[in-house]
Amino acid sequence: MNTTPFSTLHVTSTTATGRPTSDQEQPRIDASSQAPAAGERALVLGGGGSTGNAWLIGVIAGLFGAGLDVTEADLVIGTSAGSTAAAQVTSASPTRLLAGIAAVAPPQRTGPVGSGVARAPSRSAADHMERTRRIIAASDGPADMRRRMAAAALDLDAAGDATWQTGWRTTVAARLPSQNWPQRTVHITAVDADTGEPVVFDRDSGVDLVDAVAASCAGGPPYGIGHHRYIDGGYRRSSENADLAAGFGRVLVLSPLGGRSRAPLDWHMHLAAQVDELRARGSRVETIVPDSDCEHLFGANAMDPSLRPAAARAGYDHGRALAEELAGFWR
C-alpha cells in the first residue's frame, strides 16, 4: 500500500438574484456555529475544478463498484468542486453519475495534451492564478488572505455583468440530480465576501442547495444569497476543509489537488496539517489523491471540460484498486 508523506492512503431561500425583500427573509447561514454531534464516519470532498469533480465521482464510483459505498457517511463535507460532488453523490448513484460524465461529448481540443504533460493554462486561468498568487504573497495570514480574496472578488463584481449570477445559478442547477438537500448531513463551505469570514451551509441554513453549491464554487465574482455575497469555499482554510470533520471516528478525504496548498506552510492550510490535527483529536484518517501519472489532468488544466472523461476514468480505476484496502477502515 502506497502512502502519502503524511502516512495516508495514496490514490496515488433565495431567488436567482439572491435578493430577498425583507430582513425576515434573511437566511441563517452558518452551520459551523452549531457543530454537529460527533459521528462515526465523515467523507471529505476537496475542490479541484471541473476535472477534480470528475475524478471525485470516478473514485467514489470505483469504490462503489467494488462493494464499498462511502456515500453512506454520517457527514459529507464539500468544498468548491467537491461541493458539487457532495450534492451529486448524496442524491444519485455513483454509477449513474460516472456514466453521465462518459456520455457527454467533450468539446474539441485546441491542441494535444501529450503523455503526462500539462498544457499551458488558458489566459483566464493563468490570469486568475497570477492574481491570487499576488494576493497570497501580500497577505500576513489566512484571515488576511480571505479578506483580500473577498475584496478582489467584490472588485470583479463591481465591474461585471449583472446577469452573471442568474446564468451561474442555472449552470449549477443543471449539474445536480436533485435541487433538494439530501436527508443525510452535508456541509458545504464558502467565504463571506463582505467580511472574509468562513461559512458552512447545511440543510438547516435556510439556503437552497443550488445556492450553497453556487457560492462554494464562486471562484470569480461573488455569488449573492440574501443580503450576503460569497466566494469559493477553498479560501475558507483549504481545498479540503477536513478540519470540519473533527470529532468523527473515521475520516476519508478525497483531494483532487493532492493535499497541496499555495499558502505558506506555517499557515497550516495544507491537508497534512489538517490530518495531524484530526488524528491528535482521536480520528482515524485516510486520504486519496490522484496518481502521479494523471496529475496533468488537474491544476492548470482543471477547468478543461475535455479532460473530464479521462479524470473520471483515472478516479474509477484508483477507487476500484483501493476498495479492498479501505474496506477494513471504512466498515
Side-chain angles (χ1 to χ4, degrees), residues 218-329:
Y223 183 82
I225 304 176
H227 300 300
H228 293 269
R229 291 170 291 182
Y230 300 92
I231 60 172
D232 197 303
Y235 299 130
R236 176 194 172 273
R237 172 169 180 179
S238 71
S239 296
E240 301 84 20
N241 292 306
D243 57 295
L244 291 173
F248 282 75
R250 289 167 286 171
V251 181
L252 177 61
V253 185
L254 275 59
S255 174
L257 298 181
R260 296 181 293 272
S261 173
R262 298 166 63 204
L265 287 178
D266 60 5
W267 290 8
H268 304 292
M269 297 181 72
H270 51 295
L271 180 57
Q274 298 168 66
V275 170
D276 288 344
E277 292 170 12
L278 288 169
R279 288 177 175 161
R281 299 181 65 172
S283 298
R284 296 170 58 199
V285 186
E286 300 288 359
T287 70
I288 302 178
V289 302
D291 277 336
S292 58
D293 60 0
C294 65
E295 287 183 345
H296 65 283
L297 300 172
F298 309 100
N301 290 323
M303 300 311 296
D304 186 343
S306 71
L307 298 179
R308 280 177 57 80
R313 287 194 300 271
Y316 179 82
D317 291 342
H318 230 152
R320 285 195 68 93
L322 279 182
E324 184 174 351
E325 296 177 54
L326 274 176
F329 163 76

Side-chain angles (χ1 to χ4, degrees), residues 1-4 7-12 287 291 318 322 325:
M1 177 173 62
N2 295 327
T3 59
T4 64
S7 301
T8 59
L9 283 175
H10 178 68
V11 197
T12 27
T287 70
D291 277 336
H318 230 152
L322 279 182
E325 296 177 54

Side-chain angles (χ1 to χ4, degrees), residues 21 29 47 71-72 84 87 118 125 139 156 166 169 173 178 234 239 248 292:
T21 58
I29 49 169
T71 70
E72 294 180 338
T84 307
S139 302
L156 288 175
T166 301
R169 191 181 197 277
S178 171
S239 296
F248 282 75
S292 58

Side-chain angles (χ1 to χ4, degrees), residues 50-255:
S50 182
T51 59
N53 170 266
W55 179 83
L56 290 167
I57 297 299
V59 171
I60 293 170
L63 294 170
F64 184 80
L68 186 62
D69 186 2
V70 297
T71 70
E72 294 180 338
D74 301 300
L75 170 66
V76 180
I77 298 166
T79 293
S80 197
S83 73
T84 307
Q88 291 168 326
V89 302
T90 53
S91 57
S93 162
T95 304
R96 171 188 159 193
L97 294 169
L98 182 68
I101 294 172
V104 175
Q108 293 297 311
R109 302 184 57 85
T110 58
V113 172
S115 178
V117 178
R119 294 185 305 160
S122 68
R123 185 70 258 155
S124 60
D127 289 346
H128 174 76
M129 295 293 285
E130 176 58 23
R131 182 171 60 251
T132 54
R133 183 199 66 77
R134 290 197 300 266
I135 292 173
I136 294 169
S139 302
D140 60 15
D144 186 41
M145 182 202 70
R146 287 196 301 269
R147 287 190 292 269
R148 289 173 182 265
M149 290 290 187
L154 291 174
D155 287 343
L156 288 175
D157 189 39
D161 184 346
T163 64
W164 171 83
Q165 171 142 329
T166 301
W168 180 232
R169 191 181 197 277
T170 300
T171 296
V172 171
R175 296 171 178 169
L176 306 185
S178 171
Q179 296 187 25
N180 298 317
W181 283 92
Q183 289 304 304
R184 61 177 59 105
T185 303
V186 175
H187 283 183
I188 292 176
T189 67
V191 171
D192 189 314
D194 297 299
T195 65
E197 292 301 309
V199 170
V200 180
F201 301 106
D202 68 5
R203 64 171 173 259
D204 297 320
S205 297
V207 170
D208 288 348
L209 177 63
V210 174
D211 291 310
V213 173
S216 188
C217 297
Y223 183 82
I225 304 176
H227 300 300
H228 293 269
R229 291 170 291 182
Y230 300 92
I231 60 172
D232 197 303
Y235 299 130
R236 176 194 172 273
R237 172 169 180 179
S238 71
S239 296
E240 301 84 20
N241 292 306
D243 57 295
L244 291 173
F248 282 75
R250 289 167 286 171
V251 181
L252 177 61
V253 185
L254 275 59
S255 174

